[in-house]
Amino acid sequence: MTEGVKLPKKLLENLDPGEEVVKAVRKRPALEKPKWLVVTDRRIIIFDEKILGRYEMTAIPYEKLKQVYLRSGVWRSEFKIETEEGETIELPWMDKEAAREAMLAIKEALQRISVEPPTIVRRKHLASEEWILNKPKEQITRSIVARQSPAQPVAQQAAREDPLDKLEKLKKLLDEGAITQEEYEALRKKILEEILGGKK
């Protein structure tokens, strides 16, 4: 969790079990109840704290994220989040450093779950700088692939196939991130034993 930042109780209550906060940015000045941008390992949360315990919260899972845009100038920065549904959320109050840190936190979170890495385009102008983060086009994440294609069912499905086809499919699963290197080696060893055993 982000160190040294006390998040609102109502925001913490809305986190999923096991969800980890990677970066939290709070609106200033502190005279009003702050608006928050919270980057977790699963989604981006925009949280608007109000008086009497009321709040508004928008959560964008990384699967529905399309683009994050940052333009930082001398005096102000422009931070936008665009969803696949075409909704745009603007956070004009973020300062340059906080916006840059939030952008990098989102990129790192996407890298952890995506099969293809996200891309960041950076443009340096005379008095400003642009960052554009695009989510990978593919929608399958490592976590989804792992749930849909565990190593055990893969081995069971492969039982009736040609051993060389099994090796080829096994390598493909490894390359796609559906199985770990350890699972790959264990299954590969079994298939090779099957091939060698059949030749005796």
Side-chain angles (χ1 to χ4, degrees):
M1 185 173 290
T2 306
E3 294 180 8
V5 177
K6 187 176 180 182
L7 295 171
K9 184 179 176 184
K10 294 292 183 183
L11 191 154
L12 293 172
E13 288 173 359
N14 280 283
L15 295 179
D16 294 335
E19 185 172 9
E20 180 186 348
V21 174
V22 179
K23 179 71 182 171
V25 182
R26 181 174 60 185
K27 179 180 180 180
R28 299 182 186 280
L31 295 174
E32 59 186 72
K33 286 286 187 181
K35 182 178 282 189
W36 292 83
L37 169 73
V38 178
V39 180
T40 81
D41 57 344
R42 302 177 191 181
R43 55 189 172 160
I44 301 169
I45 299 171
I46 290 84
F47 189 87
D48 199 359
E49 196 176 10
K50 300 179 181 294
I51 60 171
L52 302 175
R54 296 178 301 122
Y55 63 87
E56 288 181 14
M57 181 176 126
T58 302
I60 305 163
Y62 291 123
E63 291 84 359
K64 294 190 177 181
L65 178 67
K66 182 179 180 183
Q67 186 183 86
V68 183
Y69 174 83
L70 164 64
R71 183 184 179 96
S72 58
V74 177
W75 305 112
R76 61 185 291 272
S77 67
E78 182 183 0
F79 194 90
K80 293 181 183 178
I81 299 167
E82 186 180 345
T83 70
E84 289 186 341
E85 285 80 18
E87 181 185 6
T88 300
I89 299 167
E90 297 187 28
L91 302 171
W93 48 264
M94 292 178 70
D95 66 45
K96 287 194 295 185
E97 193 56 38
R100 189 179 291 117
E101 289 174 5
M103 176 75 82
L104 292 173
I106 293 167
K107 181 188 176 189
E108 288 170 11
L110 279 170
Q111 282 176 326
R112 281 197 292 271
I113 66 165
S114 297
V115 176
E116 294 292 327
T119 58
I120 284 190
V121 176
R122 294 179 64 178
R123 298 188 184 113
K124 184 77 173 169
H125 306 288
L126 191 61
S128 65
E129 184 180 16
E130 281 182 292
W131 291 37
I132 303 168
L133 183 149
N134 291 300
K135 190 190 76 172
K137 287 190 176 8
E138 51 77 25
Q139 299 300 305
I140 301 171
T141 64
R142 286 195 180 101
S143 57
I144 293 171
V145 170
R147 285 199 298 271
Q148 290 177 343
S149 309
Q152 194 64 28
V154 167
Q156 290 170 358
Q157 288 170 10
R160 295 181 300 274
E161 296 174 2
D162 179 78
L164 295 176
D165 288 341
K166 290 180 190 178
L167 284 173
E168 190 177 326
K169 288 182 180 179
L170 194 62
K171 181 66 169 69
K172 188 176 178 185
L173 288 169
L174 175 68
D175 293 340
E176 291 174 349
I179 59 174
T180 65
Q181 184 68 40
E182 291 78 15
E183 290 169 335
Y184 169 78
E185 293 296 343
L187 290 168
R188 180 176 167 273
K189 186 178 177 184
K190 285 183 182 178
I191 295 169
L192 288 174
E193 286 173 355
E194 182 184 333
I195 293 171
L196 296 173
K199 288 183 177 179
K200 289 180 182 179

